[in-house]
Amino acid sequence: MPPEVLAMRRVAVVAPSPVSMFNLAIPELLFGKVEIDGRPGYEVVICAPEPGPVPTTGGLDLYVRHGLDVVRDADTVLVAGTGLLYTADPRTEAALREAAAAGKRIASLCTGAFSLAQAGLLDGRRATTYWGHAEELRRRHPEVDLCGEVLYVQDGPVLTSSGYAAGIDLCLHLIRTDYGAAVANEVARLALVAPVRPGGQTQFTQTPLPPERGTVCADTRGWAMRNLDKPLTLADLARHAGVSVRTLTRRFHAESGVSPLQWLLHQRVERAKELLETTTLPMDQVARACGLGTADSLRGHLVRRTGLTPSAYRAQFSRLTAPQPGMEPAA
């Protein structure tokens, strides 16, 4: 009996106006590299509410041949990011609702999440978008359970990704779901991109503290920064400032927007990240140097902050050009 031949899956990529050219390139690049037994694994069709020239966020026009009728024959509908966030075309909204009612898998890249939200497809669902627009999505659509810092989220048949390269992660996740990890990893290798990253990994944005609004505690903050390797307590900070713990806490919060210990933990984790990026110190030494105590404590705080273990963070963000002798084993 001949082996079963898998049916080719169809992906309809909706191009809202003005569309991100990078977003449009991602599905074609990745899905187009999938081959199963020498046959294409996907057919990718780009469509728009109005076939013809579609403006892009880069100032060019792209000619899109297909209208939204192709959504009806697709297994997956993927909405690309757009520069016009808050006024999704009513025809796109209707097509998305129809696709959802038909049980199709629906996904968005970057700001395409606004189109899904306006169509009501994210109501009560976990979702994400590019971090720079997360607060606006939360404000406009409070019914969405927004996970503002992750790379991508799947909630049932609906998937959303954050910005830029996170769209690559989402598409690789779809390929892995459809055809398995080996196929997804091979596509990643052919496309010269990282293998599938977990969706819960955070978007690597700066997470600064609120701006400082005073200088009364500036000397104490500077002293603490020079002594992060020591087990500083509230009493230590208050003693240096020459005030009571209560007064220090009140003044510190007024100037920094956070408590002294929150500020201190933030600085310790930032110092740990810097050491992981610029040195090959073993994990226990990194933990001691930034005042987190043990490698286990370092791991816990870093995973909560970035979604990565210390070894994974170092592997991804090390600024060293090559592994150095004596580099520590994975933590």
Side-chain angles (χ1 to χ4, degrees), residues 18 52 134 139-140 158 168 192 240 257 299 319:
R139 187 183 72 81
R140 289 176 176 269
V158 180
I168 296 174
L192 301 178
H240 182 274
R299 181 188 180 96
R319 303 175 194 173

Side-chain angles (χ1 to χ4, degrees), residues 215-227:
T215 59
V216 174
C217 296
D219 286 346
T220 297
R221 287 194 296 268
W223 172 79
M225 289 291 292
R226 295 189 296 273
N227 291 276

Side-chain angles (χ1 to χ4, degrees), residues 25 39 44 58 60 114 170 178 185 197 245 251 253 257 275 295 325 327:
R39 297 162 55 91
V44 179
L60 303 175
F114 282 85
L170 182 141
D178 292 339
N185 289 338
R197 295 187 289 178
V245 168
R251 291 179 179 176
H253 197 283
L275 292 173
M327 190 169 183

Side-chain angles (χ1 to χ4, degrees), residues 277-301:
E277 293 173 17
T278 59
T279 76
T280 59
L281 288 173
M283 297 308 175
D284 58 345
Q285 291 186 30
V286 172
R288 289 197 297 271
C290 62
L292 290 175
T294 66
D296 285 343
S297 177
L298 167 66
R299 181 188 180 96
H301 286 297

Side-chain angles (χ1 to χ4, degrees), residues 42-313:
Y42 294 95
E43 176 189 10
V44 179
V45 181
I46 297 175
C47 59
E50 191 70 41
V54 175
T56 71
T57 54
L60 303 175
D61 284 350
L62 294 179
Y63 190 87
V64 178
R65 297 181 179 179
H66 301 282
L68 295 175
D69 55 299
V70 301
V71 167
R72 296 189 182 94
D73 297 323
D75 303 293
T76 299
V77 182
L78 196 157
V79 182
T82 173
L84 194 60
L85 307 181
Y86 316 130
T87 54
D89 190 293
R91 292 168 292 183
T92 298
E93 292 187 37
L96 290 173
R97 293 191 192 100
E98 181 181 340
K104 299 181 186 297
R105 184 170 61 183
I106 300 176
S108 66
L109 304 183
C110 194
T111 56
F114 282 85
S115 295
L116 270 60
Q118 290 173 55
L121 304 189
L122 300 183
D123 291 3
R125 294 187 185 274
R126 297 172 62 248
T128 193
T129 189
Y130 179 55
W131 67 269
H133 298 293
E135 285 305 316
E136 186 64 21
L137 182 63
R138 180 179 285 113
R139 187 183 72 81
R140 289 176 176 269
H141 301 282
E143 65 279 5
V144 178
D145 182 5
L146 187 65
C147 307
E149 296 183 349
V150 299
L151 294 177
Y152 60 89
V153 175
Q154 177 164 7
D155 191 329
V158 180
L159 302 94
T160 51
S161 78
S162 58
Y164 298 100
I168 296 174
D169 297 301
L170 182 141
C171 289
L172 287 173
H173 171 72
L174 293 176
I175 294 169
R176 179 178 58 185
T177 300
D178 292 339
Y179 293 111
V183 173
N185 289 338
E186 175 65 9
V187 169
R189 186 184 69 81
L190 292 173
L192 301 178
V193 298
V196 182
R197 295 187 289 178
Q201 182 170 310
T202 61
Q203 302 176 38
F204 291 101
T205 60
Q206 293 293 332
T207 54
L209 296 173
E212 294 177 359
R213 297 183 291 273
T215 59
V216 174
C217 296
D219 286 346
T220 297
R221 287 194 296 268
W223 172 79
M225 289 291 292
R226 295 189 296 273
N227 291 276
L228 286 178
D229 58 325
K230 298 179 175 60
L232 302 177
T233 65
L234 267 178
D236 294 328
L237 296 172
R239 189 178 304 113
H240 182 274
V243 297
S244 68
V245 168
R246 184 174 181 178
T247 298
L248 173 79
T249 300
R250 176 173 52 81
R251 291 179 179 176
F252 213 100
H253 197 283
E255 292 186 11
S256 302
V258 293
S259 73
L261 293 184
Q262 286 175 318
W263 178 89
L264 191 60
L265 178 59
H266 178 92
Q267 303 303 335
R268 293 190 191 285
V269 174
E270 290 302 304
R271 177 67 58 81
K273 289 162 63 177
E274 179 182 348
L275 292 173
L276 290 170
E277 293 173 17
T278 59
T279 76
T280 59
L281 288 173
M283 297 308 175
D284 58 345
Q285 291 186 30
V286 172
R288 289 197 297 271
C290 62
L292 290 175
T294 66
D296 285 343
S297 177
L298 167 66
R299 181 188 180 96
H301 286 297
L302 199 69
V303 167
R304 281 191 290 274
R305 183 67 63 87
T306 70
L308 295 178
T309 65
S311 289
Y313 185 91

